Amino acid sequence: MSSPKIGWVGMGRMGYPMAERLVDAGYDVYVWNRTRSKAEPLAAKGATLVDSPRDLAEVDILGTMVSTGQDVEQVYFGENGVLSGDKTPKIFLDCSSIADHQSAAIRARLAERGAELIASPVSGNGKCVKAGKLSAVASGPRGAFEKVRPVIAAMAANGVSYVGEGELARFCKIAHNVFLGVVTQNLAEITILAEKAGIPRSAFLDFMNNSVMGSIFTRYKTNAFVNLDWTTTFTPGLLRKDLDLGLSSARDLGVPMPVTAATREALQAHFGAATLKDDPDAYLQKDFAALLETVALAAGIELESENSPYPTGLELPQAAE
């Protein structure tokens, strides 16, 4: 597939910058989004906007980055969905985080139309995409993967890992997001422990970032923890969904995951703490790093911003003068 025509659905915090990288890489990209205005800036860069998913039926590769398995099904099979007519893209590339059983059912339905599915969930947030730090994992037919590998690599510049057939990439993503939840909860706990002992959050987290326990993730979350910046990259609700997926898979496969179960219950406390806010629903749409406030509440600490900007490691390079 020399120069594939790519269809794309999903203009959220992740979907927009991913599609933008495809446009910047020179691909011919056709975009549908439920809220058309969110996709219009991409049209100004060269993408073509269409009126419904059905209008994407003649692309070579159909990419999706949406919230749930039900959303994927609706885009593919719903009224005016991609497959609501007679045409069928050869390869479907789904980057969403959905359950393995949902993915398997979708794969079977696509096979009936002669199409192949590559599951390729990603690791990172919108800023990671822009900074070239996004990574991806993929599973599905090896031949189809090789055809879409350059497309995935254009979005996930930090690397693409092929893990095998079927839904194995879904398990990788579930495991990844379980780890995300456990690390964030524990990082919040030890940060509050250090603060209650008298250590500024910025000093403690700088030490952690420079230690063997530091990571890309702890570094780019440090600014949020230090300055109480809850600009949304990933919501507590989505994290709860992924922890539930992990625990469900663990039950199915007979794997004990007590740390994950404890993290799930700690996360639930955040939903209770949100009721103390003036607008609980709006608060729960803020970033999941706000878990720090729930841990602080339980420790009897009222947090204040340290007003100390900390480099995230995701800063875009400055253009040469």
PDB file of all heavy atoms in Angstrom, residues 279-302:
ATOM      1  N   ASP A 279     -19.058  22.109  42.063  1.00  0.00           N
ATOM      2  CA  ASP A 279     -19.605  21.474  40.861  1.00  0.00           C
ATOM      3  C   ASP A 279     -18.937  20.111  40.705  1.00  0.00           C
ATOM      4  O   ASP A 279     -17.932  19.977  40.002  1.00  0.00           O
ATOM      5  CB  ASP A 279     -19.337  22.350  39.633  1.00  0.00           C
ATOM      6  CG  ASP A 279     -20.058  21.850  38.387  1.00  0.00           C
ATOM      7  OD1 ASP A 279     -20.465  20.675  38.369  1.00  0.00           O
ATOM      8  OD2 ASP A 279     -20.199  22.628  37.419  1.00  0.00           O
ATOM      9  N   PRO A 280     -19.465  19.077  41.364  1.00  0.00           N
ATOM     10  CA  PRO A 280     -18.826  17.755  41.347  1.00  0.00           C
ATOM     11  C   PRO A 280     -18.611  17.207  39.941  1.00  0.00           C
ATOM     12  O   PRO A 280     -17.548  16.635  39.655  1.00  0.00           O
ATOM     13  CB  PRO A 280     -19.800  16.876  42.141  1.00  0.00           C
ATOM     14  CG  PRO A 280     -20.521  17.828  43.027  1.00  0.00           C
ATOM     15  CD  PRO A 280     -20.659  19.084  42.226  1.00  0.00           C
ATOM     16  N   ASP A 281     -19.593  17.367  39.068  1.00  0.00           N
ATOM     17  CA  ASP A 281     -19.460  16.810  37.714  1.00  0.00           C
ATOM     18  C   ASP A 281     -18.305  17.472  36.966  1.00  0.00           C
ATOM     19  O   ASP A 281     -17.525  16.794  36.283  1.00  0.00           O
ATOM     20  CB  ASP A 281     -20.766  16.983  36.936  1.00  0.00           C
ATOM     21  CG  ASP A 281     -21.886  16.115  37.492  1.00  0.00           C
ATOM     22  OD1 ASP A 281     -21.573  15.095  38.132  1.00  0.00           O
ATOM     23  OD2 ASP A 281     -23.060  16.461  37.286  1.00  0.00           O
ATOM     24  N   ALA A 282     -18.196  18.777  37.075  1.00  0.00           N
ATOM     25  CA  ALA A 282     -17.104  19.489  36.411  1.00  0.00           C
ATOM     26  C   ALA A 282     -15.756  19.079  37.003  1.00  0.00           C
ATOM     27  O   ALA A 282     -14.769  18.925  36.273  1.00  0.00           O
ATOM     28  CB  ALA A 282     -17.294  20.997  36.530  1.00  0.00           C
ATOM     29  N   TYR A 283     -15.731  18.885  38.314  1.00  0.00           N
ATOM     30  CA  TYR A 283     -14.475  18.484  38.966  1.00  0.00           C
ATOM     31  C   TYR A 283     -14.017  17.124  38.461  1.00  0.00           C
ATOM     32  O   TYR A 283     -12.825  16.901  38.229  1.00  0.00           O
ATOM     33  CB  TYR A 283     -14.670  18.453  40.481  1.00  0.00           C
ATOM     34  CG  TYR A 283     -13.408  18.117  41.247  1.00  0.00           C
ATOM     35  CD1 TYR A 283     -12.326  18.991  41.272  1.00  0.00           C
ATOM     36  CD2 TYR A 283     -13.312  16.925  41.965  1.00  0.00           C
ATOM     37  CE1 TYR A 283     -11.173  18.688  41.980  1.00  0.00           C
ATOM     38  CE2 TYR A 283     -12.164  16.616  42.677  1.00  0.00           C
ATOM     39  CZ  TYR A 283     -11.102  17.508  42.688  1.00  0.00           C
ATOM     40  OH  TYR A 283      -9.956  17.186  43.393  1.00  0.00           O
ATOM     41  N   LEU A 284     -14.954  16.211  38.242  1.00  0.00           N
ATOM     42  CA  LEU A 284     -14.597  14.868  37.784  1.00  0.00           C
ATOM     43  C   LEU A 284     -14.209  14.847  36.306  1.00  0.00           C
ATOM     44  O   LEU A 284     -13.741  13.812  35.819  1.00  0.00           O
ATOM     45  CB  LEU A 284     -15.751  13.900  38.042  1.00  0.00           C
ATOM     46  CG  LEU A 284     -15.966  13.560  39.525  1.00  0.00           C
ATOM     47  CD1 LEU A 284     -17.230  12.734  39.700  1.00  0.00           C
ATOM     48  CD2 LEU A 284     -14.764  12.822  40.102  1.00  0.00           C
ATOM     49  N   GLN A 285     -14.368  15.957  35.615  1.00  0.00           N
ATOM     50  CA  GLN A 285     -13.862  16.063  34.247  1.00  0.00           C
ATOM     51  C   GLN A 285     -12.448  16.630  34.217  1.00  0.00           C
ATOM     52  O   GLN A 285     -11.829  16.701  33.154  1.00  0.00           O
ATOM     53  CB  GLN A 285     -14.790  16.937  33.397  1.00  0.00           C
ATOM     54  CG  GLN A 285     -16.138  16.294  33.121  1.00  0.00           C
ATOM     55  CD  GLN A 285     -16.003  14.912  32.488  1.00  0.00           C
ATOM     56  OE1 GLN A 285     -15.301  14.742  31.491  1.00  0.00           O
ATOM     57  NE2 GLN A 285     -16.673  13.919  33.056  1.00  0.00           N
ATOM     58  N   LYS A 286     -11.932  17.008  35.380  1.00  0.00           N
ATOM     59  CA  LYS A 286     -10.548  17.478  35.457  1.00  0.00           C
ATOM     60  C   LYS A 286      -9.606  16.281  35.448  1.00  0.00           C
ATOM     61  O   LYS A 286     -10.032  15.128  35.528  1.00  0.00           O
ATOM     62  CB  LYS A 286     -10.349  18.329  36.713  1.00  0.00           C
ATOM     63  CG  LYS A 286     -11.136  19.636  36.687  1.00  0.00           C
ATOM     64  CD  LYS A 286     -10.845  20.478  37.898  1.00  0.00           C
ATOM     65  CE  LYS A 286     -11.642  21.774  37.868  1.00  0.00           C
ATOM     66  NZ  LYS A 286     -11.218  22.652  36.765  1.00  0.00           N
ATOM     67  N   ASP A 287      -8.326  16.541  35.396  1.00  0.00           N
ATOM     68  CA  ASP A 287      -7.347  15.472  35.235  1.00  0.00           C
ATOM     69  C   ASP A 287      -7.318  14.532  36.441  1.00  0.00           C
ATOM     70  O   ASP A 287      -7.549  14.954  37.580  1.00  0.00           O
ATOM     71  CB  ASP A 287      -5.951  16.077  35.037  1.00  0.00           C
ATOM     72  CG  ASP A 287      -4.956  15.057  34.531  1.00  0.00           C
ATOM     73  OD1 ASP A 287      -5.125  14.588  33.391  1.00  0.00           O
ATOM     74  OD2 ASP A 287      -4.016  14.704  35.275  1.00  0.00           O
ATOM     75  N   PHE A 288      -7.000  13.287  36.172  1.00  0.00           N
ATOM     76  CA  PHE A 288      -6.949  12.294  37.244  1.00  0.00           C
ATOM     77  C   PHE A 288      -5.843  12.573  38.242  1.00  0.00           C
ATOM     78  O   PHE A 288      -5.833  12.026  39.338  1.00  0.00           O
ATOM     79  CB  PHE A 288      -6.812  10.887  36.674  1.00  0.00           C
ATOM     80  CG  PHE A 288      -5.464  10.568  36.075  1.00  0.00           C
ATOM     81  CD1 PHE A 288      -4.618   9.658  36.682  1.00  0.00           C
ATOM     82  CD2 PHE A 288      -5.030  11.172  34.899  1.00  0.00           C
ATOM     83  CE1 PHE A 288      -3.377   9.350  36.139  1.00  0.00           C
ATOM     84  CE2 PHE A 288      -3.812  10.865  34.349  1.00  0.00           C
ATOM     85  CZ  PHE A 288      -2.970   9.964  34.971  1.00  0.00           C
ATOM     86  N   ALA A 289      -4.885  13.461  37.904  1.00  0.00           N
ATOM     87  CA  ALA A 289      -3.850  13.838  38.874  1.00  0.00           C
ATOM     88  C   ALA A 289      -4.445  14.524  40.098  1.00  0.00           C
ATOM     89  O   ALA A 289      -3.797  14.598  41.150  1.00  0.00           O
ATOM     90  CB  ALA A 289      -2.813  14.742  38.208  1.00  0.00           C
ATOM     91  N   ALA A 290      -5.695  15.010  39.978  1.00  0.00           N
ATOM     92  CA  ALA A 290      -6.370  15.611  41.129  1.00  0.00           C
ATOM     93  C   ALA A 290      -6.601  14.601  42.247  1.00  0.00           C
ATOM     94  O   ALA A 290      -7.025  14.976  43.349  1.00  0.00           O
ATOM     95  CB  ALA A 290      -7.696  16.227  40.696  1.00  0.00           C
ATOM     96  N   LEU A 291      -6.287  13.326  42.006  1.00  0.00           N
ATOM     97  CA  LEU A 291      -6.268  12.337  43.093  1.00  0.00           C
ATOM     98  C   LEU A 291      -5.424  12.823  44.256  1.00  0.00           C
ATOM     99  O   LEU A 291      -5.650  12.445  45.418  1.00  0.00           O
ATOM    100  CB  LEU A 291      -5.691  11.009  42.579  1.00  0.00           C
ATOM    101  CG  LEU A 291      -6.570  10.141  41.685  1.00  0.00           C
ATOM    102  CD1 LEU A 291      -5.739   9.034  41.048  1.00  0.00           C
ATOM    103  CD2 LEU A 291      -7.705   9.554  42.491  1.00  0.00           C
ATOM    104  N   LEU A 292      -4.429  13.636  43.960  1.00  0.00           N
ATOM    105  CA  LEU A 292      -3.569  14.187  45.014  1.00  0.00           C
ATOM    106  C   LEU A 292      -4.399  14.913  46.058  1.00  0.00           C
ATOM    107  O   LEU A 292      -4.112  14.835  47.262  1.00  0.00           O
ATOM    108  CB  LEU A 292      -2.549  15.152  44.394  1.00  0.00           C
ATOM    109  CG  LEU A 292      -1.485  15.704  45.345  1.00  0.00           C
ATOM    110  CD1 LEU A 292      -0.438  14.640  45.633  1.00  0.00           C
ATOM    111  CD2 LEU A 292      -0.818  16.945  44.740  1.00  0.00           C
ATOM    112  N   GLU A 293      -5.450  15.616  45.634  1.00  0.00           N
ATOM    113  CA  GLU A 293      -6.283  16.354  46.584  1.00  0.00           C
ATOM    114  C   GLU A 293      -7.056  15.411  47.500  1.00  0.00           C
ATOM    115  O   GLU A 293      -7.251  15.705  48.685  1.00  0.00           O
ATOM    116  CB  GLU A 293      -7.253  17.261  45.821  1.00  0.00           C
ATOM    117  CG  GLU A 293      -6.561  18.406  45.106  1.00  0.00           C
ATOM    118  CD  GLU A 293      -7.541  19.414  44.533  1.00  0.00           C
ATOM    119  OE1 GLU A 293      -8.696  19.026  44.231  1.00  0.00           O
ATOM    120  OE2 GLU A 293      -7.145  20.572  44.373  1.00  0.00           O
ATOM    121  N   THR A 294      -7.481  14.276  46.950  1.00  0.00           N
ATOM    122  CA  THR A 294      -8.224  13.315  47.773  1.00  0.00           C
ATOM    123  C   THR A 294      -7.316  12.686  48.823  1.00  0.00           C
ATOM    124  O   THR A 294      -7.709  12.506  49.982  1.00  0.00           O
ATOM    125  CB  THR A 294      -8.849  12.230  46.873  1.00  0.00           C
ATOM    126  OG1 THR A 294      -9.774  12.849  45.975  1.00  0.00           O
ATOM    127  CG2 THR A 294      -9.574  11.183  47.683  1.00  0.00           C
ATOM    128  N   VAL A 295      -6.097  12.359  48.433  1.00  0.00           N
ATOM    129  CA  VAL A 295      -5.138  11.817  49.405  1.00  0.00           C
ATOM    130  C   VAL A 295      -4.824  12.858  50.466  1.00  0.00           C
ATOM    131  O   VAL A 295      -4.741  12.553  51.665  1.00  0.00           O
ATOM    132  CB  VAL A 295      -3.850  11.353  48.700  1.00  0.00           C
ATOM    133  CG1 VAL A 295      -2.821  10.861  49.703  1.00  0.00           C
ATOM    134  CG2 VAL A 295      -4.161  10.245  47.691  1.00  0.00           C
ATOM    135  N   ALA A 296      -4.657  14.116  50.045  1.00  0.00           N
ATOM    136  CA  ALA A 296      -4.371  15.196  50.999  1.00  0.00           C
ATOM    137  C   ALA A 296      -5.524  15.388  51.971  1.00  0.00           C
ATOM    138  O   ALA A 296      -5.320  15.598  53.179  1.00  0.00           O
ATOM    139  CB  ALA A 296      -4.092  16.487  50.240  1.00  0.00           C
ATOM    140  N   LEU A 297      -6.755  15.299  51.460  1.00  0.00           N
ATOM    141  CA  LEU A 297      -7.940  15.442  52.306  1.00  0.00           C
ATOM    142  C   LEU A 297      -7.952  14.391  53.402  1.00  0.00           C
ATOM    143  O   LEU A 297      -8.211  14.681  54.581  1.00  0.00           O
ATOM    144  CB  LEU A 297      -9.192  15.334  51.430  1.00  0.00           C
ATOM    145  CG  LEU A 297     -10.542  15.432  52.144  1.00  0.00           C
ATOM    146  CD1 LEU A 297     -10.743  16.830  52.707  1.00  0.00           C
ATOM    147  CD2 LEU A 297     -11.684  15.095  51.173  1.00  0.00           C
ATOM    148  N   ALA A 298      -7.646  13.143  53.019  1.00  0.00           N
ATOM    149  CA  ALA A 298      -7.611  12.063  54.011  1.00  0.00           C
ATOM    150  C   ALA A 298      -6.495  12.243  55.026  1.00  0.00           C
ATOM    151  O   ALA A 298      -6.580  11.753  56.158  1.00  0.00           O
ATOM    152  CB  ALA A 298      -7.453  10.721  53.295  1.00  0.00           C
ATOM    153  N   ALA A 299      -5.445  12.963  54.632  1.00  0.00           N
ATOM    154  CA  ALA A 299      -4.307  13.203  55.535  1.00  0.00           C
ATOM    155  C   ALA A 299      -4.453  14.494  56.327  1.00  0.00           C
ATOM    156  O   ALA A 299      -3.561  14.840  57.110  1.00  0.00           O
ATOM    157  CB  ALA A 299      -3.015  13.244  54.725  1.00  0.00           C
ATOM    158  N   GLY A 300      -5.554  15.203  56.127  1.00  0.00           N
ATOM    159  CA  GLY A 300      -5.773  16.435  56.861  1.00  0.00           C
ATOM    160  C   GLY A 300      -4.931  17.597  56.381  1.00  0.00           C
ATOM    161  O   GLY A 300      -4.618  18.512  57.154  1.00  0.00           O
ATOM    162  N   ILE A 301      -4.578  17.592  55.091  1.00  0.00           N
ATOM    163  CA  ILE A 301      -3.763  18.663  54.512  1.00  0.00           C
ATOM    164  C   ILE A 301      -4.599  19.435  53.493  1.00  0.00           C
ATOM    165  O   ILE A 301      -5.301  18.838  52.680  1.00  0.00           O
ATOM    166  CB  ILE A 301      -2.516  18.095  53.806  1.00  0.00           C
ATOM    167  CG1 ILE A 301      -1.545  17.504  54.828  1.00  0.00           C
ATOM    168  CG2 ILE A 301      -1.809  19.162  52.980  1.00  0.00           C
ATOM    169  CD1 ILE A 301      -0.322  16.883  54.192  1.00  0.00           C
ATOM    170  N   GLU A 302      -4.511  20.768  53.562  1.00  0.00           N
ATOM    171  CA  GLU A 302      -5.124  21.603  52.542  1.00  0.00           C
ATOM    172  C   GLU A 302      -4.022  22.053  51.586  1.00  0.00           C
ATOM    173  O   GLU A 302      -3.096  22.773  51.993  1.00  0.00           O
ATOM    174  CB  GLU A 302      -5.809  22.813  53.165  1.00  0.00           C
ATOM    175  CG  GLU A 302      -6.563  23.647  52.150  1.00  0.00           C
ATOM    176  CD  GLU A 302      -7.391  24.747  52.788  1.00  0.00           C
ATOM    177  OE1 GLU A 302      -7.577  24.715  54.025  1.00  0.00           O
ATOM    178  OE2 GLU A 302      -7.847  25.634  52.054  1.00  0.00           O
TER     179      GLU A 302
END
